Amino acid sequence: MDTKNVKKTKRTNTAKVAAKSSAFNVNLSKLKIKSMDDYEAIHQKALEDPAKFWGERAKSLLHWFKPWEKTLEWDFAKPHVEWFTGGKTNASYNCLDRHIDGPRRNKVALIWQGDPEDDVRIWTYQMLYDRVCRFASALKNLGVRKGDRVVIYLPMIPEMVVSMLACSRIGAVHVLVFAGFSASSAQSRIQDCEAKVVITSDGMFRAGRVMPLKANIDEALKDCPSVRRVIVVNRTNMPTAMKERRDIWWRDVMSDRSLNARLPAVQMDAEDLLFILYTSGSTGKPKGVMHTTGGYLTYAAHTTQLVFDTREEDVHWCTADIGWITGHTYGVYGPLLLGGTTMMFEGGPRWPDPDRFWHIIEKYRVNTFYTAPTAIRLLIRDGDEWLEKHDRSSLRILGSVGEPIDAKTWNWYRDTVGDGKIPVVDTWWQTESGGILVSPIPYVTPLKPGSASLPLPGIDVEVLKEDGKPAKVDEEGHLVVKNPWPGMLRGVFGDKSKFKENYFSRFSGFYLSGDGVKKDQDGYLWLQGRLDDVINVSGHRFSTAEMEAAFNAHPAVAESSVVGMPHSVKGEAIYAFIHLKEEEKPTDAMRSDLRKWVRKEIGPIATPEYIQFVESLPKTRSGKIMRRVLRKIVSGNIEDLGDLTTLVDVSVVEALVTEHELLTGRSSLS
Ligand code: PRX
């Protein structure tokens, strides 16, 4: 699309928006962007005076017990970032109390659809408030204090939301650990944040099956001395061992009649820690990304409003598990801060049939739907007939997140799911950013299939080449951000140096995202995937170093190297090159044992697609594995392997290519 066309579409879209706004006479937002001219004007204003722009946003979106003294203090060179210094607020209060004091008291806050179709819970704001206050009061009775860390290791059940808001109500820091992670992954996170309490469930439902969960915590807690209590939700009724004086059932905790169902929310400093969420970086150890109260909440509410155009009567459904940042911001905090109705689904998209998503959209008349390209690609394969059976006319906005969305998938999403009538917002962001940084404004920004389009107002992104100079039009470079935004991370838990090292040292004065990007002649951003050693499998981040550490811990492995391989559904798949110890045999049994090993070490989501046994790995004279070569081999791109002169033994590459072709049944040249 050229600039001329963009301008043309701009006018068309502006007219459409004007028509739409009068059809829905509810205005939740003070910051209405109705045209590209509005967008540009607001963007400019926000860049010129960020303190004024974000100050107004924070004031209009949140309740503050005490106003802040200073809106923004920052220096990326140090790095140091503070928002709304001196201000007092509370996440739980903003999500609940201020709504129940008004006409939203009996409005539905949460619609929960269980994996079994008949398992449904629908809670109003009042009902959610009562449960949160009671559970917060119970946590206090168990000795949880402001600043203490509480690990939440739960499947997608409403107790997840109750736990998060109960923690924030009393100033405790919640640390969600995705229930698909193994005992060992849960253990390292519990150890790193020194959690005092763990909340889990006996088991979980997934696609009609029942699986244990508490057993993982028992395993993990063999070496977690900080944990005093484990609260166990009874989800499946499966036989569950309970350790005396440590484990306690959720229902017993909540049946205490002395719990305070009106427990006041603690006044938190804007910069007090709200939560930690672990994510993979380029090192072996996951990083505890820290988000603080005032800035994160402002940014969650602001971006939800802007990107999902939240309206009073909407049902918003973010399909991401709450154990990931997408679920935190757009499943829980964003919608509840705005007094919206959020949908939560315990199951997966293809059980009992591949129309489960479309069925749920019809059943609850979902208006704004937010999912990952992997799920869309999976559902495309099942055929349009599953979709056509269901009324999708309630849908107004379709969102995509977590990985690049290719044009083919994007077009199907818009034209088949949305009948070509509603916009797709491809939203780019990260655990570290707290909320969306780059996305179209629905019904306003002219869309280009496969591009996340433009930065949101006030977000100043740049594309830098390896030498730090700005990239030219259509030239790939590093996506960096020039200025702070309220939702950005404030550090890495327990490791001060990592904040600078990971995000601010590659290009001085810029936040480094780790992603590659191209900017076209209209300023549209085309995300190209990670530039560091992070693999994105089905929208989930894995560090190759973390995977390699897991393989290397296996008694038969001498050395390993893990890279991402392009995959038609998952985006990327895990491909492991394994060099066994001399006495070990590269058999199929060994391959399956290694697969099981990694599932146990990290979790089922980290199961490698291919394991290739190798005699040796391509190493430089200084002993470094040339990963670039491995990446090219697995992506079938062997014509251009680059400069191999620093390799100790070039013949290794040839052997690797042959073995790869045998294993995957394809020729790298095809
Ligand atoms: O590589 C980018 C990719 O996902 C990474 C962030 O992963 P995580 O912290 O787990 O958060 C996922 C949900 C926000 C990014 O560095 N990514 C995320 N959204 C997109 C994307 N890549 C391309 N297009 C997107 N829309």
Side-chain angles (χ1 to χ4, degrees):
M1 196 192 266
D2 62 20
T3 327
K4 222 164 67 201
N5 283 337
V6 169
K7 289 212 174 106
K8 222 158 116 200
T9 332
K10 187 165 90 183
R11 275 197 291 275
T12 323
N13 274 289
T14 314
K16 264 195 212 151
V17 176
K20 278 254 165 197
S21 333
S22 56
F24 294 89
N25 199 16
V26 182
N27 188 358
L28 278 167
S29 168
K30 286 198 177 148
L31 183 87
K32 274 283 178 198
I33 299 182
K34 298 198 182 80
S35 65
M36 285 308 280
D37 291 340
D38 284 354
Y39 162 80
E40 267 141 35
I42 292 173
H43 190 40
Q44 273 320 310
K45 265 191 359 210
L47 293 180
E48 277 158 22
D49 193 347
K52 182 163 182 282
F53 176 76
W54 293 111
E56 281 171 7
R57 290 272 70 204
K59 217 192 254 168
S60 90
L61 290 163
L62 298 186
H63 170 84
W64 294 85
F65 300 117
K66 182 173 164 274
W68 56 88
E69 283 132 32
K70 188 139 200 235
T71 311
L72 170 62
E73 239 181 84
W74 70 291
D75 180 356
F76 275 1
K78 277 186 180 160
H80 168 76
V81 178
E82 253 183 51
W83 283 94
F84 314 119
T85 313
K88 299 262 189 200
T89 186
N90 179 286
S92 183
Y93 183 95
N94 275 286
C95 288
L96 300 170
D97 304 47
R98 60 185 178 141
H99 304 313
I100 65 157
D101 286 342
R104 291 189 183 125
R105 181 163 79 92
N106 292 319
K107 174 176 172 173
V108 173
L110 182 71
I111 302 175
W112 176 75
Q113 171 63 62
D115 189 49
E117 180 65 18
D118 294 338
D119 246 351
V120 173
R121 283 192 251 172
I122 296 181
W123 289 352
T124 62
Y125 272 94
Q126 175 75 62
M127 291 162 79
L128 183 57
Y129 168 85
D130 284 356
R131 284 164 172 85
V132 168
C133 286
R134 292 167 59 77
F135 191 59
S137 163
L139 286 177
K140 271 183 85 172
N141 292 347
L142 291 175
V144 178
R145 299 284 171 261
K146 187 176 166 198
D148 285 346
R149 272 82 60 204
V150 173
V151 161
I152 303 174
Y153 184 64
L154 281 174
M156 281 285 276
I157 53 177
E159 285 80 358
M160 233 178 178
V161 181
V162 174
S163 304
M164 289 165 84
L165 296 180
C167 284
S168 59
R169 193 159 192 88
I170 60 172
V173 176
H174 59 69
V175 187
L176 275 283
V177 176
F178 175 57
F181 276 126
S182 66
S184 147
S185 294
Q187 182 183 62
S188 60
R189 286 158 174 81
I190 294 168
Q191 285 171 340
D192 189 77
C193 73
E194 297 179 323
K196 203 175 199 177
V197 167
V198 174
I199 304 168
T200 188
S201 65
D202 52 355
M204 57 201 241
F205 285 103
R206 191 76 190 176
R209 284 182 305 143
V210 178
M211 288 183 288
L213 193 63
K214 160 78 164 44
N216 285 353
I217 288 298
D218 290 337
E219 178 69 28
L221 294 195
K222 284 183 182 156
D223 190 17
C224 293
S226 63
V227 176
R228 300 213 200 127
R229 305 304 294 253
V230 178
I231 302 172
V232 188
V233 179
N234 177 16
R235 173 67 192 123
T236 62
N237 282 332
M238 69 196 303
T240 300
M242 297 289 278
K243 187 168 173 186
E244 228 179 306
R245 285 195 296 276
R246 188 195 72 183
D247 302 349
I248 175 166
W249 289 103
W250 175 284
R251 59 165 182 258
D252 293 339
V253 171
M254 291 295 263
S255 64
D256 180 348
R257 299 199 121 255
S258 69
L259 297 178
N260 185 355
R262 288 171 190 280
L263 185 82
V266 168
Q267 300 198 3
M268 301 289 284
D269 275 326
E271 282 297 340
D272 275 340
L273 202 51
L274 174 62
F275 67 87
I276 300 168
L277 188 58
Y278 285 86
T279 190
S280 298
S282 38
T283 57
K285 198 168 158 267
K287 298 172 291 194
V289 169
M290 299 200 290
H291 282 289
T292 57
T293 308
Y296 172 80
L297 294 176
T298 301
Y299 203 66
H302 164 76
T303 51
T304 305
Q305 196 178 66
L306 218 58
V307 176
F308 296 104
D309 183 31
T310 309
R311 293 167 188 188
E312 198 62 56
E313 66 277 28
D314 277 353
V315 173
H316 172 73
W317 183 18
C318 164
T319 68
D321 193 288
I322 293 172
W324 306 108
I325 191 70
T326 309
H328 278 58
T329 308
Y330 301 108
V332 180
Y333 282 114
L336 295 182
L337 286 167
L338 297 175
T341 300
T342 188
M343 260 289 317
M344 186 176 174
F345 175 43
E346 187 186 30
R350 302 179 72 244
W351 188 86
D353 288 310
D355 63 345
R356 195 74 193 275
F357 273 10
W358 322 125
H359 169 74
I360 293 174
I361 288 173
E362 180 177 25
K363 183 173 175 184
Y364 299 102
R365 304 284 190 273
V366 172
N367 303 102
T368 50
F369 178 66
Y370 195 32
T371 196
T374 292
I376 308 169
R377 286 192 292 260
L378 200 67
L379 296 170
I380 292 177
R381 289 206 314 192
D382 290 316
D384 298 0
E385 62 273 20
W386 290 105
L387 184 103
E388 284 156 5
K389 290 202 284 192
H390 297 282
D391 177 4
R392 303 174 314 278
S393 58
S394 57
L395 289 171
R396 200 179 71 245
I397 293 167
L398 297 171
S400 169
V401 60
E403 16 159 2
I405 179 166
D406 54 287
K408 192 169 150 236
T409 308
W410 192 101
N411 279 318
W412 185 85
Y413 198 26
R414 187 192 55 183
D415 296 337
T416 310
V417 180
D419 281 333
K421 294 182 195 134
I422 52 176
V424 168
V425 288
D426 173 10
T427 62
W428 176 83
W429 59 296
Q430 324 178 281
T431 304
E432 292 88 342
S433 71
I436 298 165
L437 293 178
V438 178
S439 165
I441 307 289
Y443 293 101
V444 174
T445 310
L447 304 172
K448 299 189 191 189
S451 166
S453 80
L454 304 166
L456 290 182
I459 306 298
D460 205 1
V461 305
E462 183 71 86
V463 187
L464 297 183
K465 293 191 298 189
E466 293 298 324
D467 61 6
K469 299 214 172 83
K472 296 195 191 86
V473 167
D474 292 332
E475 195 179 8
E476 183 173 348
H478 294 262
L479 175 48
V480 297
V481 189
K482 286 204 259 185
N483 59 353
W485 63 100
M488 69 183 290
L489 82 163
R490 300 295 195 269
V492 175
F493 188 76
D495 195 338
K496 270 204 157 150
S497 63
K498 280 270 177 309
F499 190 34
K500 180 163 188 168
E501 204 179 301
N502 287 330
Y503 306 103
F504 297 96
S505 57
R506 178 70 179 79
F507 300 108
S508 171
F510 294 92
Y511 166 83
L512 179 79
S513 71
D515 277 19
V517 72
K518 289 179 186 173
K519 200 197 268 192
D520 72 13
Q521 57 188 357
D522 301 321
Y524 276 50
L525 298 163
W526 298 80
L527 274 303
Q528 307 288 312
R530 301 286 307 195
L531 290 177
D532 52 9
D533 290 329
V534 169
I535 319 183
N536 191 331
V537 183
S538 306
H540 303 318
R541 256 165 88 166
F542 294 97
S543 115
T544 51
E546 192 183 350
M547 302 266 327
E548 285 159 9
F551 276 117
N552 295 346
H554 188 284
V557 174
E559 199 175 23
S560 65
S561 189
V562 173
V563 293
M565 169 190 186
H567 189 278
S568 61
V569 173
K570 300 175 184 173
E572 269 188 301
I574 296 166
Y575 195 110
F577 292 89
I578 304 287
H579 181 197
L580 293 173
K581 288 186 180 154
E582 231 164 83
E583 62 278 16
E584 303 292 342
K585 296 260 168 315
T587 58
D588 282 346
M590 174 65 78
R591 204 173 258 129
S592 113
D593 191 55
L594 285 169
R595 267 209 180 91
K596 265 193 233 143
W597 175 269
V598 172
R599 287 168 70 93
K600 190 166 165 292
E601 287 289 300
I602 301 180
I605 43 168
T607 311
E609 197 79 9
Y610 288 106
I611 292 179
Q612 178 174 341
F613 293 117
V614 300
E615 293 285 324
S616 51
L617 288 160
K619 287 197 185 157
T620 61
R621 286 192 192 94
S622 58
K624 267 188 85 173
I625 296 172
M626 214 186 248
R627 306 173 55 81
R628 161 175 66 82
V629 170
L630 299 177
R631 273 197 296 265
K632 292 213 163 159
I633 293 174
V634 302
S635 59
N637 191 7
I638 59 161
E639 282 145 68
D640 171 30
L641 288 176
D643 181 8
L644 301 180
T645 49
T646 53
L647 281 182
V648 179
D649 180 2
V650 184
S651 70
V652 168
V653 178
E654 214 172 292
L656 288 175
V657 172
T658 313
E659 276 301 315
H660 163 75
E661 287 171 1
L662 278 175
L663 184 67
T664 58
R666 70 171 191 194
S667 160
S668 297
L669 284 167
S670 62

Tab-separated table of all heavy atoms in Angstrom, residues 279 324-326 370 373 400-405 426-433 438 452 513-515 527-530 534 536 539-541, ligand 1:
chain	number	residue	atom	x	y	z
A	279	THR	N	9.942	-14.209	32.736
A	279	THR	CA	9.976	-14.406	31.294
A	279	THR	C	11.382	-14.800	30.870
A	279	THR	O	12.345	-14.560	31.595
A	279	THR	CB	9.494	-13.137	30.550
A	279	THR	OG1	9.322	-13.466	29.179
A	279	THR	CG2	10.468	-11.987	30.665
A	324	TRP	N	0.270	-15.567	31.740
A	324	TRP	CA	1.149	-14.764	30.876
A	324	TRP	C	0.757	-13.297	30.984
A	324	TRP	O	-0.341	-12.971	31.429
A	324	TRP	CB	1.024	-15.189	29.411
A	324	TRP	CG	1.231	-16.649	29.144
A	324	TRP	CD1	0.265	-17.544	28.814
A	324	TRP	CD2	2.464	-17.381	29.191
A	324	TRP	NE1	0.824	-18.793	28.637
A	324	TRP	CE2	2.167	-18.721	28.863
A	324	TRP	CE3	3.792	-17.030	29.467
A	324	TRP	CZ2	3.142	-19.715	28.810
A	324	TRP	CZ3	4.762	-18.023	29.412
A	324	TRP	CH2	4.435	-19.344	29.087
A	325	ILE	N	1.607	-12.424	30.497
A	325	ILE	CA	1.332	-10.981	30.634
A	325	ILE	C	0.043	-10.585	29.920
A	325	ILE	O	-0.699	-9.722	30.389
A	325	ILE	CB	2.534	-10.125	30.142
A	325	ILE	CG1	2.366	-8.650	30.530
A	325	ILE	CG2	2.738	-10.238	28.636
A	325	ILE	CD1	2.482	-8.340	31.979
A	326	THR	N	-0.271	-11.212	28.788
A	326	THR	CA	-1.485	-10.827	28.055
A	326	THR	C	-2.715	-11.032	28.931
A	326	THR	O	-3.622	-10.196	28.962
A	326	THR	CB	-1.605	-11.632	26.749
A	326	THR	OG1	-0.372	-11.525	26.049
A	326	THR	CG2	-2.727	-11.125	25.888
A	370	TYR	N	-9.589	-11.362	21.511
A	370	TYR	CA	-8.140	-11.155	21.453
A	370	TYR	C	-7.452	-12.506	21.576
A	370	TYR	O	-7.612	-13.184	22.594
A	370	TYR	CB	-7.777	-10.263	22.637
A	370	TYR	CG	-6.411	-9.617	22.623
A	370	TYR	CD1	-5.780	-9.251	21.441
A	370	TYR	CD2	-5.773	-9.304	23.834
A	370	TYR	CE1	-4.543	-8.625	21.467
A	370	TYR	CE2	-4.543	-8.673	23.868
A	370	TYR	CZ	-3.937	-8.341	22.680
A	370	TYR	OH	-2.718	-7.717	22.707
A	373	PRO	N	-1.915	-15.675	16.907
A	373	PRO	CA	-1.867	-16.237	15.562
A	373	PRO	C	-1.821	-17.763	15.534
A	373	PRO	O	-2.416	-18.384	14.665
A	373	PRO	CB	-0.592	-15.634	14.974
A	373	PRO	CG	-0.408	-14.359	15.699
A	373	PRO	CD	-0.920	-14.603	17.089
A	400	SER	N	-4.880	-9.543	17.728
A	400	SER	CA	-3.870	-10.580	17.593
A	400	SER	C	-2.654	-10.182	18.426
A	400	SER	O	-2.296	-9.010	18.482
A	400	SER	CB	-3.499	-10.697	16.118
A	400	SER	OG	-2.359	-11.507	15.959
A	401	VAL	N	-2.012	-11.178	19.041
A	401	VAL	CA	-0.881	-10.865	19.916
A	401	VAL	C	0.060	-12.048	20.070
A	401	VAL	O	-0.345	-13.184	19.917
A	401	VAL	CB	-1.370	-10.448	21.327
A	401	VAL	CG1	-2.169	-11.557	21.998
A	401	VAL	CG2	-0.222	-10.015	22.226
A	402	GLY	N	1.303	-11.736	20.359
A	402	GLY	CA	2.238	-12.762	20.809
A	402	GLY	C	3.291	-13.163	19.806
A	402	GLY	O	4.344	-13.632	20.165
A	403	GLU	N	2.992	-13.015	18.511
A	403	GLU	CA	3.943	-13.423	17.474
A	403	GLU	C	3.549	-12.697	16.205
A	403	GLU	O	2.416	-12.210	16.097
A	403	GLU	CB	3.911	-14.932	17.236
A	403	GLU	CG	2.706	-15.575	17.811
A	403	GLU	CD	2.322	-16.910	17.236
A	403	GLU	OE1	3.010	-17.447	16.361
A	403	GLU	OE2	1.289	-17.404	17.655
A	404	PRO	N	4.459	-12.662	15.265
A	404	PRO	CA	4.092	-12.025	13.995
A	404	PRO	C	2.917	-12.770	13.372
A	404	PRO	O	2.849	-13.997	13.433
A	404	PRO	CB	5.353	-12.206	13.146
A	404	PRO	CG	6.472	-12.453	14.108
A	404	PRO	CD	5.854	-13.128	15.286
A	405	ILE	N	1.980	-12.041	12.798
A	405	ILE	CA	0.857	-12.681	12.111
A	405	ILE	C	1.082	-12.472	10.611
A	405	ILE	O	1.203	-11.335	10.145
A	405	ILE	CB	-0.511	-12.160	12.612
A	405	ILE	CG1	-1.668	-12.832	11.845
A	405	ILE	CG2	-0.652	-10.652	12.585
A	405	ILE	CD1	-3.042	-12.642	12.498
A	426	ASP	N	-3.410	-5.893	15.151
A	426	ASP	CA	-2.215	-6.690	15.434
A	426	ASP	C	-1.404	-5.886	16.436
A	426	ASP	O	-0.873	-4.827	16.113
A	426	ASP	CB	-1.447	-6.906	14.120
A	426	ASP	CG	-0.099	-7.571	14.333
A	426	ASP	OD1	0.180	-8.033	15.461
A	426	ASP	OD2	0.691	-7.625	13.367
A	427	THR	N	-1.343	-6.403	17.672
A	427	THR	CA	-0.760	-5.616	18.758
A	427	THR	C	0.621	-6.146	19.115
A	427	THR	O	0.762	-7.329	19.434
A	427	THR	CB	-1.659	-5.694	20.006
A	427	THR	OG1	-1.720	-7.063	20.434
A	427	THR	CG2	-3.067	-5.203	19.703
A	428	TRP	N	1.594	-5.283	19.089
A	428	TRP	CA	2.953	-5.707	19.446
A	428	TRP	C	3.316	-5.168	20.823
A	428	TRP	O	3.174	-3.967	21.084
A	428	TRP	CB	3.988	-5.205	18.434
A	428	TRP	CG	5.382	-5.562	18.882
A	428	TRP	CD1	6.004	-6.757	18.699
A	428	TRP	CD2	6.278	-4.747	19.653
A	428	TRP	NE1	7.244	-6.744	19.303
A	428	TRP	CE2	7.435	-5.520	19.890
A	428	TRP	CE3	6.218	-3.451	20.171
A	428	TRP	CZ2	8.530	-5.037	20.606
A	428	TRP	CZ3	7.304	-2.966	20.894
A	428	TRP	CH2	8.453	-3.761	21.092
A	429	TRP	N	3.787	-6.050	21.670
A	429	TRP	CA	4.280	-5.654	22.991
A	429	TRP	C	4.969	-6.828	23.643
A	429	TRP	O	5.198	-7.840	22.988
A	429	TRP	CB	3.166	-5.068	23.860
A	429	TRP	CG	1.979	-5.966	24.128
A	429	TRP	CD1	1.092	-6.452	23.220
A	429	TRP	CD2	1.541	-6.467	25.389
A	429	TRP	NE1	0.136	-7.212	23.848
A	429	TRP	CE2	0.377	-7.240	25.171
A	429	TRP	CE3	1.999	-6.321	26.708
A	429	TRP	CZ2	-0.315	-7.878	26.207
A	429	TRP	CZ3	1.309	-6.940	27.740
A	429	TRP	CH2	0.165	-7.710	27.486
A	430	GLN	N	5.290	-6.709	24.940
A	430	GLN	CA	6.093	-7.726	25.622
A	430	GLN	C	5.776	-7.738	27.121
A	430	GLN	O	5.194	-6.769	27.623
A	430	GLN	CB	7.584	-7.393	25.511
A	430	GLN	CG	8.034	-6.782	24.240
A	430	GLN	CD	9.504	-6.450	24.245
A	430	GLN	OE1	9.900	-5.447	24.815
A	430	GLN	NE2	10.298	-7.285	23.606
A	431	THR	N	6.204	-8.794	27.784
A	431	THR	CA	6.046	-8.853	29.246
A	431	THR	C	6.611	-7.574	29.867
A	431	THR	O	6.036	-6.993	30.783
A	431	THR	CB	6.819	-10.082	29.803
A	431	THR	OG1	6.341	-11.249	29.140
A	431	THR	CG2	6.641	-10.229	31.293
A	432	GLU	N	7.736	-7.150	29.357
A	432	GLU	CA	8.426	-5.995	29.917
A	432	GLU	C	7.667	-4.687	29.709
A	432	GLU	O	7.825	-3.739	30.470
A	432	GLU	CB	9.812	-5.844	29.275
A	432	GLU	CG	10.805	-6.936	29.628
A	432	GLU	CD	10.720	-8.140	28.686
A	432	GLU	OE1	9.691	-8.285	27.997
A	432	GLU	OE2	11.695	-8.920	28.655
A	433	SER	N	6.861	-4.614	28.656
A	433	SER	CA	6.219	-3.317	28.359
A	433	SER	C	4.923	-3.152	29.144
A	433	SER	O	4.376	-2.054	29.192
A	433	SER	CB	5.960	-3.178	26.855
A	433	SER	OG	4.927	-4.037	26.447
A	438	VAL	N	2.599	-0.998	20.131
A	438	VAL	CA	2.355	-0.720	18.710
A	438	VAL	C	1.059	-1.430	18.309
A	438	VAL	O	0.917	-2.630	18.537
A	438	VAL	CB	3.520	-1.250	17.835
A	438	VAL	CG1	3.238	-1.014	16.362
A	438	VAL	CG2	4.841	-0.602	18.242
A	452	ALA	N	1.873	-4.494	12.388
A	452	ALA	CA	1.266	-4.000	13.637
A	452	ALA	C	0.999	-2.498	13.533
A	452	ALA	O	0.516	-1.880	14.488
A	452	ALA	CB	2.161	-4.327	14.817
A	513	SER	N	14.189	-3.800	22.688
A	513	SER	CA	13.095	-4.784	22.794
A	513	SER	C	13.567	-6.206	22.534
A	513	SER	O	12.933	-7.156	22.974
A	513	SER	CB	11.997	-4.431	21.797
A	513	SER	OG	12.439	-4.691	20.470
A	514	GLY	N	14.646	-6.356	21.755
A	514	GLY	CA	15.097	-7.701	21.375
A	514	GLY	C	14.467	-8.166	20.073
A	514	GLY	O	14.768	-9.242	19.580
A	515	ASP	N	13.575	-7.352	19.515
A	515	ASP	CA	12.889	-7.732	18.276
A	515	ASP	C	13.493	-7.037	17.062
A	515	ASP	O	13.946	-5.897	17.144
A	515	ASP	CB	11.408	-7.323	18.345
A	515	ASP	CG	10.590	-8.369	19.077
A	515	ASP	OD1	11.191	-9.167	19.813
A	515	ASP	OD2	9.360	-8.392	18.915
A	527	LEU	N	7.074	-6.451	12.153
A	527	LEU	CA	7.894	-7.189	13.101
A	527	LEU	C	8.478	-8.438	12.441
A	527	LEU	O	7.783	-9.135	11.709
A	527	LEU	CB	7.051	-7.607	14.307
A	527	LEU	CG	6.918	-6.588	15.448
A	527	LEU	CD1	8.290	-6.191	15.971
A	527	LEU	CD2	6.132	-5.374	15.055
A	528	GLN	N	9.757	-8.702	12.715
A	528	GLN	CA	10.459	-9.791	12.035
A	528	GLN	C	10.834	-10.947	12.957
A	528	GLN	O	11.501	-11.873	12.537
A	528	GLN	CB	11.760	-9.247	11.406
A	528	GLN	CG	11.575	-8.048	10.510
A	528	GLN	CD	10.899	-8.419	9.203
A	528	GLN	OE1	11.300	-9.373	8.561
A	528	GLN	NE2	9.854	-7.691	8.834
A	529	GLY	N	10.466	-10.870	14.236
A	529	GLY	CA	10.873	-11.935	15.169
A	529	GLY	C	12.051	-11.485	16.014
A	529	GLY	O	12.591	-10.393	15.826
A	530	ARG	N	12.480	-12.350	16.916
A	530	ARG	CA	13.513	-11.965	17.879
A	530	ARG	C	14.892	-11.910	17.218
A	530	ARG	O	15.203	-12.701	16.326
A	530	ARG	CB	13.564	-12.993	19.013
A	530	ARG	CG	12.283	-13.149	19.776
A	530	ARG	CD	11.973	-12.028	20.707
A	530	ARG	NE	13.036	-11.714	21.631
A	530	ARG	CZ	12.857	-10.946	22.724
A	530	ARG	NH1	11.666	-10.430	22.998
A	530	ARG	NH2	13.839	-10.681	23.523
A	534	VAL	N	16.092	-15.909	21.754
A	534	VAL	CA	14.790	-16.259	22.311
A	534	VAL	C	13.979	-16.890	21.190
A	534	VAL	O	13.986	-16.404	20.063
A	534	VAL	CB	14.081	-14.992	22.863
A	534	VAL	CG1	12.623	-15.284	23.187
A	534	VAL	CG2	14.801	-14.476	24.103
A	536	ASN	N	10.145	-18.096	19.916
A	536	ASN	CA	8.749	-17.815	20.214
A	536	ASN	C	7.889	-18.969	19.664
A	536	ASN	O	7.589	-19.030	18.486
A	536	ASN	CB	8.379	-16.485	19.542
A	536	ASN	CG	7.038	-15.982	19.999
A	536	ASN	OD1	6.171	-16.758	20.363
A	536	ASN	ND2	6.854	-14.671	19.969
A	539	GLY	N	3.598	-18.255	20.480
A	539	GLY	CA	3.451	-17.048	21.280
A	539	GLY	C	4.066	-17.155	22.670
A	539	GLY	O	3.933	-16.254	23.484
A	540	HIS	N	4.738	-18.265	22.964
A	540	HIS	CA	5.399	-18.401	24.267
A	540	HIS	C	6.898	-18.262	24.099
A	540	HIS	O	7.495	-18.849	23.208
A	540	HIS	CB	5.091	-19.759	24.906
A	540	HIS	CG	3.634	-20.014	25.084
A	540	HIS	ND1	2.766	-19.038	25.530
A	540	HIS	CD2	2.888	-21.108	24.874
A	540	HIS	CE1	1.548	-19.533	25.585
A	540	HIS	NE2	1.587	-20.778	25.178
A	541	ARG	N	7.469	-17.528	25.020
A	541	ARG	CA	8.892	-17.232	24.907
A	541	ARG	C	9.761	-18.267	25.587
A	541	ARG	O	9.527	-18.613	26.735
A	541	ARG	CB	9.135	-15.896	25.622
A	541	ARG	CG	9.322	-14.762	24.705
A	541	ARG	CD	9.181	-13.490	25.487
A	541	ARG	NE	10.446	-13.053	26.061
A	541	ARG	CZ	10.601	-11.828	26.542
A	541	ARG	NH1	9.619	-10.961	26.518
A	541	ARG	NH2	11.753	-11.458	27.035
B	1	PRX	O1	8.972	-11.116	19.752
B	1	PRX	C1	7.868	-10.361	20.165
B	1	PRX	C2	6.652	-11.246	20.220
B	1	PRX	O2	6.554	-11.706	21.550
B	1	PRX	C3	7.610	-11.158	22.347
B	1	PRX	C4	7.098	-10.881	23.716
B	1	PRX	O3	6.748	-12.066	24.328
B	1	PRX	P1	6.093	-12.040	25.761
B	1	PRX	O4	6.918	-11.207	26.664
B	1	PRX	O5	5.850	-13.438	26.163
B	1	PRX	O6	4.719	-11.294	25.553
B	1	PRX	C5	3.806	-11.809	24.654
B	1	PRX	C6	2.552	-10.985	24.679
B	1	PRX	C7	2.700	-9.546	24.582
B	1	PRX	C8	8.012	-9.917	21.600
B	1	PRX	O7	9.310	-9.511	21.948
B	1	PRX	N1	5.424	-10.512	19.873
B	1	PRX	C9	4.448	-10.095	20.687
B	1	PRX	N2	3.458	-9.513	19.985
B	1	PRX	C10	3.826	-9.541	18.683
B	1	PRX	C11	5.093	-10.163	18.612
B	1	PRX	N3	5.744	-10.300	17.442
B	1	PRX	C12	5.149	-9.834	16.330
B	1	PRX	N4	3.941	-9.242	16.322
B	1	PRX	C13	3.239	-9.075	17.460
B	1	PRX	N5	2.045	-8.506	17.430
